[in-house]
Amino acid sequence: MTRVPLSVLDLATVRAGHSSGDALRGTVEIAKTADEHGYARFWVAEHHNMPAVASTSPATLIGAVAAQTSHIRVGSGGVMLPNHMPFVVAEQFALLEALFPDRIDLGIGRAPGTDQATAAALRGVSPYLTVEQFPEHLRTVLALLSDENTTHLKATPAPASYPEVWMLGSSTFGAQMAAALGLPFCYAYHFAMTSDVDNALRLYHDGFRPGVLAEPHAMVSASVIVAETTEEARFLAGPSRMMALSLRTGRLGPIVSPETAATAADDLTELDLKVLDQLPGTQYAGTAEEVVADLDALVERTGADELMIAGTVFEAATRQDSLIRLAKAWRG
């Protein structure tokens, strides 16, 4: 059976009792494992002012990851464009592409990647950095990273290739924007089990007009933990549940260990449990065979051309083991 390519999304998760440097070094090790085991892409997210996430500057982290890997495409999942001037983003990724030709992805999102106060600190008082101007700014980035650029601005003086630009989203807006511009589209399904993924992908395929791509190309993300047994996988998923709950309740902090998460689970309120019903932290936690069956069903349901594997765990070694088990089972 031929299955769609698998890729990896990482947040550089900060563990309780550890530093941001530990988190970033862990991300590089996870990327090296993904590279060695045939994953197609390794993307890092942009988040700000969050105690559990060290991935604040995708372009910087992409450079570190690409330098330590050989074949895998490395990119952003994504750069939150309203936080940045389009020319700066284009220059950063043109530079990365020059250093690592045909290996750089620029995934672009519309969300702030943080709370509104932090977003204001990122954007300052510039009237140019607003969500309303996102479509214009996206088109500017696309023009700058193209042979068809006719402006006086050049993101790089002598390009030999350009990064692959993706539109990201967790709503129908991103799907429709990607369709209108002929871009590849990645739906952030890992945010929650109850999402609009089916409608978004239908709108993307139905509304697609040739642009950057001649044909639509969709990727869907999912949160996955694979272990030797179902019980172990669910135990290892405990920290992701606590992180998901902390994000929705404002009780932010570094990610806790599975043991701490198991103890905390005994004290969850009825409201906490309702939150976790909608946002479980990890969607698919089980043995390799169980998770492969779930992912096969997700591909069949959505028609995805690729899958992006997210997964919040306490130890980088746990993530590496999960990815190795999944890769072997996915190959059949």
Side-chain angles (χ1 to χ4, degrees), residues 21-287:
D22 294 330
L24 296 167
R25 285 185 285 273
T27 287
V28 172
E29 292 306 310
I30 293 166
K32 289 161 69 174
T33 295
D35 192 25
E36 292 165 4
H37 289 272
Y39 285 84
R41 310 173 193 272
F42 188 90
W43 285 4
V44 295
E46 177 187 343
H47 290 286
H48 301 278
N49 200 30
M50 292 177 61
V53 179
S55 182
T56 57
S57 176
T60 304
L61 187 50
I62 287 166
V65 169
Q68 293 293 316
T69 53
S70 300
H71 307 292
I72 197 167
R73 296 189 66 91
V74 187
S76 57
V79 165
M80 301 296 105
L81 191 55
N83 296 337
H84 312 281
M85 297 298 286
F87 187 54
V88 173
V89 172
E91 281 197 320
Q92 290 173 342
F93 279 79
L95 187 152
L96 287 166
E97 177 69 18
L99 287 170
F100 308 102
D102 300 315
R103 289 187 57 207
I104 301 300
D105 294 338
L106 170 54
I108 292 178
R110 188 173 63 120
T114 186
D115 60 87
Q116 292 303 314
T118 307
L122 285 164
R123 301 171 190 178
V125 296
S126 171
Y128 195 66
L129 293 178
T130 66
V131 170
E132 289 73 23
Q133 291 176 301
F134 177 84
E136 175 194 343
H137 291 180
L138 177 57
R139 288 185 174 92
T140 298
V141 171
L142 291 173
L144 290 165
L145 297 176
S146 167
D147 284 328
E148 299 176 4
N149 179 23
T150 58
T151 73
H152 71 282
L153 290 174
K154 305 298 177 186
T156 187
S161 59
Y162 293 98
E164 192 172 291
V165 181
W166 284 70
M167 179 68 203
L168 314 184
S170 57
S171 69
T172 57
F173 174 88
Q176 291 171 302
M177 191 78 194
L181 296 174
L183 287 170
F185 175 60
C186 181
Y187 188 91
Y189 182 60
H190 68 284
F191 283 174
M193 291 291 279
T194 54
S195 72
D196 210 11
V197 61
D198 303 284
N199 191 35
L201 282 156
R202 179 184 58 78
L203 288 170
Y204 173 64
H205 284 102
D206 290 349
F208 186 87
R209 293 184 292 180
V212 176
L213 297 180
E215 301 288 341
H217 188 91
M219 180 156 56
V220 174
S221 67
S223 182
V224 170
I225 295 175
V226 178
E228 182 69 25
T229 66
T230 305
E231 292 72 22
E232 182 186 3
R234 290 175 178 169
F235 174 70
L236 294 172
S240 72
R241 286 170 56 82
M242 294 300 104
M243 183 175 174
L245 185 60
S246 73
L247 290 172
R248 291 301 182 269
T249 59
R251 303 194 295 263
L252 300 180
I255 190 168
V256 300
S257 69
E259 292 78 10
T260 300
T263 301
D266 295 333
D267 298 322
L268 294 180
T269 66
E270 185 174 336
L271 179 60
D272 290 338
L273 293 172
K274 287 182 178 178
V275 170
L276 288 173
D277 283 342
Q278 297 298 315
L279 192 73
T282 299
Q283 292 157 313
Y284 306 116
T287 66

